[in-house]
Amino acid sequence: MVFALGVILFALGIGVSIALHEAGHMWTAKALGMKVRRYYIGFGPKIFSFRRGETEYGLKALPLGGFCDIAGMTALDEMTPEEEPHAMYKKAAWKRVVVMSGGIAMNFILGFAILYGLALGWGLPDRNGSTQALVGNLSCVAPTQAEDGSLAQCVGEGPAQQAGLQPGDIVTAVDGHPTTTSAEVVALVQPVTGTAVLSVDRDGQSLTIPVEVEQAQRVVKDPSTGENRSVTVGAIGMGLGTVGPPPLEFNAFSAIPGTAIFTGEILVDSVKALADIPSKVGALWESITGGERGLDTPISVVGASVIGGEAAERAAWPTFVLLLASINFFLGVFNILPLLPLDGGHIAVVFYEKIRDWFRARRGLIAGGPVDYTKLLPITYVFIVIGGAFMLLTLTADIVNPIKIF
């Protein structure tokens, strides 16, 4: 039940993001003297609508986006005589840029507001801090391991539990060698044939715990050949996980610059993720056809909502909130792309007209007319087809082989 509620809540969060994106266009257009004919959330069949002033507001059945219908967005737009004076394409260039940037700005503002709430409620992730090797379950040491990874049965307490280690301990060193990940702890324990001295942090207290290491058969991957082979290694019966550093805490005032810095880091990550999308197509296809799904592969709205549901189910609300903020920043960055029908494509057309008219003025010519959007339609259709295919690919991957972060 909590999972389902989490999925619904996250999907509603994305819906609010889309609604505010379109509202950013609507509010700026109205403020700058343009006519907004329709403001809808969703596509497809209409569920309901109502009119306030000159604008019709409504909700449609498919929650796949939304739109803000501004009279005269292009010269191809059919308008009534009453709408002609308010046509968007006839307005000053700066006004058109402000309107098309309004949705992008709303995504960034909303993302910042969500991160500010995260900073106050739970703290922001410390991206510059060190990871930690966290002790999980404690058990006996299974003497053998099968090729499929399954362990033989065993009973009783294992060496780690007998030595006094507890779930939640943070392993900081093994035999004096500092550790920050679970892999480092395993690599240092496996060669030991006697006693391994573990340094741990338990609720802020530093402890030194000697552990008698048992020998057990395990299946490991040969780094030179990539093949699995059976070897005898040291084991202490301790499950481990690598976790991030503790979050950075803020008050209402320090959270403002802290959130601003973290926002800049997220924006950089969003730009990198956008640039990496073409290289991830192969990984997505492999995950659909039986390969492993990488945590860095793109996800659809459905996949993000499922992760949001899993976070809610585990009460991992910082993860829930951070993911929602990250999606807003990515949507803002994505819409900056100078490709139609994205906002960045319309902004690029405005800049093209201004540069073109500047050169025309240098030659003593009058300003040119509006750009003929019919000439841009083939490129627009290609982008829509490619974008649609990619969305279908990510949706399929999220259904067949979803990302698991917990």
Side-chain angles (χ1 to χ4, degrees):
M1 177 62 73
V2 177
F3 169 77
L5 290 175
V7 171
I8 294 172
L9 183 61
F10 197 89
L12 286 175
I14 295 177
V16 170
S17 301
I18 294 171
L20 289 177
H21 176 98
E22 297 302 326
H25 294 310
M26 178 179 65
W27 292 333
T28 52
K30 286 177 174 287
L32 294 174
M34 303 175 196
K35 179 180 178 180
V36 178
R37 294 183 288 208
R38 293 182 298 163
Y39 171 82
Y40 269 82
I41 301 303
F43 295 100
K46 180 171 65 176
I47 297 178
F48 73 88
S49 68
F50 62 92
R51 179 171 293 277
R52 289 289 184 273
E54 63 183 12
T55 305
E56 178 186 347
Y57 302 85
L59 178 68
K60 297 201 172 189
L62 301 177
L64 302 176
F67 64 91
C68 175
D69 179 15
I70 304 172
M73 283 190 67
T74 74
L76 300 177
D77 195 2
E78 294 185 3
M79 291 177 289
T80 65
E82 293 77 16
E83 292 175 336
E84 283 285 348
H86 305 285
M88 180 175 175
Y89 78 89
K90 292 183 177 181
K91 298 296 182 180
W94 71 267
K95 292 184 177 181
R96 294 158 63 191
V97 170
V98 168
V99 171
M100 297 315 302
S101 302
I104 299 171
M106 284 303 299
N107 282 129
F108 290 156
I109 292 171
L110 181 58
F112 184 90
I114 294 173
L115 287 183
Y116 183 76
L118 177 64
L120 293 181
W122 295 278
L124 293 175
D126 183 2
R127 296 168 64 93
N128 298 317
S130 299
T131 57
Q132 300 172 323
L134 185 69
V135 177
N137 62 299
L138 299 169
S139 65
C140 56
V141 174
T144 60
Q145 182 179 29
E147 284 289 337
D148 62 2
S150 60
L151 295 171
Q153 294 292 323
C154 65
V155 294
E157 296 182 345
Q161 192 170 6
Q162 292 173 351
L165 282 155
Q166 299 178 8
D169 287 346
I170 298 171
V171 181
T172 58
V174 176
D175 288 334
H177 299 284
T179 59
T180 58
T181 67
S182 59
E184 291 174 350
V185 175
V186 172
L188 289 170
V189 169
Q190 284 186 341
V192 178
T193 56
T195 301
V197 179
L198 272 62
S199 301
V200 302
D201 184 305
R202 179 180 297 166
D203 297 327
Q205 181 183 7
S206 297
L207 302 174
T208 301
I209 302 178
V211 182
E212 295 297 324
V213 179
E214 293 185 15
Q215 300 302 300
Q217 175 269 326
R218 293 291 184 265
V219 176
V220 300
K221 181 175 290 187
D222 191 323
S224 59
T225 64
E227 297 180 353
N228 291 333
R229 58 188 179 90
S230 179
V231 297
T232 299
V233 298
I236 58 176
M238 180 174 70
L240 286 165
T242 299
V243 297
L248 301 173
E249 297 182 356
F250 301 90
N251 58 38
F253 297 103
S254 63
I256 296 174
T259 302
I261 293 172
F262 194 75
T263 294
E265 295 172 346
I266 293 252
L267 285 173
V268 171
D269 290 344
S270 298
V271 172
K272 290 180 179 178
L274 186 61
D276 287 342
I277 282 181
S279 65
K280 300 298 182 183
V281 173
L284 281 172
W285 179 254
E286 289 180 5
S287 69
I288 293 173
T289 56
E292 184 178 353
R293 180 76 184 272
L295 293 177
D296 60 345
T297 51
I299 58 176
S300 66
V301 172
V302 172
S305 298
V306 169
I307 293 175
E310 293 174 345
E313 188 176 36
R314 292 163 174 79
W317 293 110
T319 300
F320 184 100
V321 174
L322 180 59
L323 180 59
L324 188 58
S326 299
I327 288 176
N328 271 278
F329 287 120
F330 182 82
L331 288 175
V333 170
F334 179 73
N335 271 287
I336 295 176
L337 286 176
L339 296 169
L340 292 171
L342 301 178
D343 299 336
H346 291 282
I347 294 172
V349 168
V350 175
F351 281 114
Y352 166 77
E353 291 178 350
K354 292 297 293 182
I355 295 171
R356 178 203 62 189
D357 292 344
W358 184 86
F359 280 108
R360 288 178 65 88
R362 300 286 77 76
R363 293 184 298 167
L365 301 175
I366 63 172
V371 164
D372 185 357
Y373 272 76
T374 58
K375 296 180 179 179
L376 300 176
L377 287 179
I379 300 175
T380 303
Y381 291 148
V382 169
F383 177 73
I384 291 174
V385 170
I386 293 175
F390 184 77
M391 289 177 62
L392 182 61
L393 181 66
T394 55
L395 176 61
T396 304
D398 287 335
I399 295 173
V400 175
N401 190 0
I403 288 178
K404 300 291 185 182
I405 66 172
F406 295 101

